[in-house]
Each structure stands twice: as C-alpha cells, then as structure tokens.
Amino acid sequence: MINLEQMPAILDALPDPAFLFSRSGKYVAIFGGRDNRYYHDGSGLVGLSIADLIEAEKADWFLEKIDEALQSRKLLIEEYELSNKDVKGLPDDGPQQPIWFEGRIQALEFLVEGEEVVLWVASNISKRHQLEVKLRELSDTDQLTGLFNRRRLEQDLALHFEAFTRHSTPTSVVMYDLDNLKQLNDRFGHHVGDEAILMVTGICQSHLRKTDIACRVGGDEFIIVLPGIELEQAVQFSERLKEFFKQGLERFRADGADVSVSLGVTTFMPTDTSYQDTLKRVDDALYSAKKNGKNQIVIA
C-alpha cells in the first residue's frame, strides 16, 4: 500500500501533464509531463488564469470545455493544437513546433477555494495527428499531380451546392482535358505525356485563388471549382487559362502530336437538383468542345 507521502512523487512521475482547472479557468495545480521532448514545463502557471495567458479565442474554447465537463459530469475527449507561443509564461525549453493534444477532461467531486474543478490530462498526439493528416492527403490526392482527386471533388462540390441552395452563393465549374495526348504518348512515350500533364497542372495552380480547388478526375481530365464566381467571370478565367496553356504546350507540338486543351464551363443553376447535374452539364460541354474540333471553350 502506498501512503500519502508518496503521492506527490507518483503524480510528478505521470508521463503526461495533468492540470487541475477551476471553473473560472484558474490553474489550480499541475502534475507530471516533465519530459521536455514532448512538453513544456507548466509549473510556473499555477495560480494564474487561462484568460490572462492564452489569446481570447482559444481561452474561450478552454473555458467552454471546462464548463461542459462540469455540467455533464462525463469524461470529455477533445483534440486541439497549442504551442508555447500561445501560452504566456512558458519556458523556451521544450518542443519548438506546435503540439497537437488529446485532452481528457473530467469533473471532480470537490471544491477548491469554493470553486468546482476539473482534471484535464493533456497527451501529446502530434505524431499521430501528422500521420492522420498524411493519410487524409493520400486518400484525397492524385499521385502524379498532387491535385485533389474525384473523391475530394465530390465532397467539396456537395458543400458548395448546399451553400448555393441555402444562400444562392454562386459557384462555377470548369472542366478541361488535353487534346491529342495519346498521340504524344505514342510518339514520345508516356513520360513525355506526364510532363505535359504536370506542366498544365502547374499553370492551373498558379492561377487559382486559395478558395479554388483543382482536381484530376481522369487520365487527362481536370475539374476546377470556383466558389463565389459567376458564369461570366468563369468564362473569362477559362479564356486566360486557355491562352497560358497554349503558350506552355508549344514545346510539346510536333508532327502527329499537336497538343492543345479543350474546356467546358458552367455554373450551379436553380434547376440543378444536385451537384451531379452540374457535373453532367460541364462534361457535356467539354464533350462538345472535343467533338466540334478541340482547342476551344464551350459554355453550358
């Protein structure tokens, strides 16, 4: 049996830091988490307040979780990101990069200085988080170009279509592919075809806003989603893009391999029942561009 005199040593040896927070967000006590490879020493925070040490938005989030744990009396499990620069009063010793934590928050059955308290155990899950991010990227990303794939395209289009139906937020869609890529592959090899795809990808990415997304949905088929853009603006964007594609593809032109780009353009319409209607319309527009001679833009 252990005795009370041994408890401080046991608590201090906890591999992850355990915080006692009052309802008002005061650091009542801190135990464990002494390995500075994974944590910063928070012992100097005891007696201070979350609201005084952490920027307002994050401080409010912490206080909300403390209140939620006290109200529910159930264990809460939350993931969050924090760095030593977010918390005033922490030493520079410790991890330099922001840390991802899994917080386990449990209300305790006693008061400290008249206030309810919670136990908040914070585990460093940065490596796990990085792996999860990488796995999500792999599942959403085309291997050759680094663009998003059809899976991610449909996720984002569903969200934008919901915004369109609820708030009439416009979103336009551009679909394009490379004309005569097969002839280029047959004449010079697939590695040259891949170079053309990568060159077009680079041009496309350089002309996108942060809110736009570009996806590779087939061998040489691509879709660009332009949130907040009306059809007329999308057509102007497509015309500029086509001209840049033309300039970039000049070096791939040769006898029997005249590579160009065809494009279809459309936008969400009130008659669309889902984003699938929009995709079909832009696909039909691209098909028309190919059928009618290639190297052109068709507006749906």
Side-chain angles (χ1 to χ4, degrees):
M1 294 289 291
I2 62 171
N3 56 46
L4 290 177
E5 287 76 16
Q6 294 169 320
M7 283 302 298
I10 294 171
L11 293 173
D12 202 47
L14 290 172
D16 297 324
F19 302 87
L20 249 63
F21 287 122
S22 69
R23 177 182 281 278
S24 63
K26 182 179 178 181
Y27 289 84
V28 176
I30 300 174
F31 308 102
R34 302 302 182 191
D35 192 331
N36 63 13
R37 293 176 299 174
Y38 305 105
Y39 303 106
H40 296 89
D41 181 8
S43 58
L45 304 179
V46 175
L48 303 177
S49 172
I50 291 174
D52 295 332
L53 299 174
I54 302 176
E55 56 93 12
E57 186 175 350
K58 284 190 176 181
D60 288 344
W61 180 86
F62 274 91
L63 293 172
E64 286 173 9
K65 294 306 168 185
I66 291 170
D67 183 68
E68 186 178 345
L70 289 169
Q71 293 286 349
S72 69
R73 315 307 290 185
K74 295 178 180 179
L75 176 67
L76 298 184
I77 301 176
E78 299 285 344
E79 292 188 9
Y80 57 98
E81 177 265 338
L82 208 61
S83 75
N84 65 325
K85 295 181 178 60
D86 293 322
V87 184
K88 302 172 188 175
L90 285 178
D92 291 332
D93 293 338
Q96 296 303 306
Q97 299 300 319
I99 304 172
W100 274 91
F101 291 97
E102 180 181 82
R104 293 175 176 263
I105 312 117
Q106 178 68 61
L108 299 177
E109 299 301 327
F110 57 83
L111 305 180
V112 174
E113 297 180 352
E115 275 199 279
E116 295 177 294
V117 291
V118 301
L119 178 67
W120 186 308
V121 179
S123 301
N124 186 329
I125 59 165
S126 297
K127 287 186 178 180
R128 188 184 86 188
H129 178 78
Q130 290 166 6
L131 178 60
E132 289 172 350
V133 170
K134 187 64 176 177
L135 289 173
R136 283 197 297 270
E137 288 176 351
L138 290 172
S139 68
D140 288 345
T141 305
D142 172 65
Q143 188 173 3
L144 174 64
T145 62
L147 298 178
F148 291 131
N149 57 23
R150 181 174 285 275
R151 176 178 178 275
R152 176 60 181 268
L153 167 69
E154 293 187 351
Q155 287 179 354
D156 283 8
L157 274 178
L159 293 174
H160 290 305
F161 190 77
E162 182 179 359
F164 173 73
T165 55
R166 287 190 176 188
H167 310 294
S168 299
T169 305
T171 292
S172 293
V173 180
V174 177
M175 187 174 187
Y176 67 90
D177 78 357
L178 277 70
D179 303 320
N180 304 321
L181 182 65
K182 183 179 185 302
Q183 290 89 326
L184 185 69
N185 288 332
D186 291 346
R187 184 174 177 84
F188 299 107
H190 284 272
H191 67 285
V192 176
D194 287 348
E195 287 179 16
I197 288 173
L198 289 171
M199 186 276 299
V200 169
T201 297
I203 290 173
C204 174
Q205 289 176 310
S206 68
H207 290 83
L208 297 181
R209 304 167 302 164
K210 289 183 178 180
T211 53
D212 302 332
I213 67 164
C215 307
R216 186 186 183 199
V217 295
D220 62 344
E221 287 188 346
F222 301 82
I223 289 179
I224 304 171
V225 181
L226 303 169
I229 296 296
E230 302 280 4
L231 182 60
E232 183 179 353
Q233 296 171 288
V235 172
Q236 294 171 356
F237 167 81
S238 299
E239 290 170 345
R240 292 194 303 272
L241 200 60
K242 183 177 179 295
E243 184 59 34
F244 284 113
F245 285 157
K246 178 182 177 181
Q247 296 171 15
L249 287 168
E250 284 291 342
R251 69 185 182 92
F252 294 99
R253 299 182 189 279
D255 291 340
D258 190 13
V259 186
S260 58
V261 173
S262 296
L263 303 94
V265 188
T266 192
T267 191
F268 287 156
M269 299 177 67
T271 53
D272 291 343
T273 58
S274 75
Y275 70 85
Q276 297 287 0
D277 292 339
T278 316
L279 285 182
K280 184 179 187 307
R281 190 165 55 253
V282 77
D283 186 63
D284 290 344
L286 176 60
Y287 178 79
S288 296
K290 305 283 282 187
K291 183 180 178 181
N292 296 334
K294 304 178 182 179
N295 191 29
Q296 60 184 279
I297 299 171
V298 170
I299 305 161

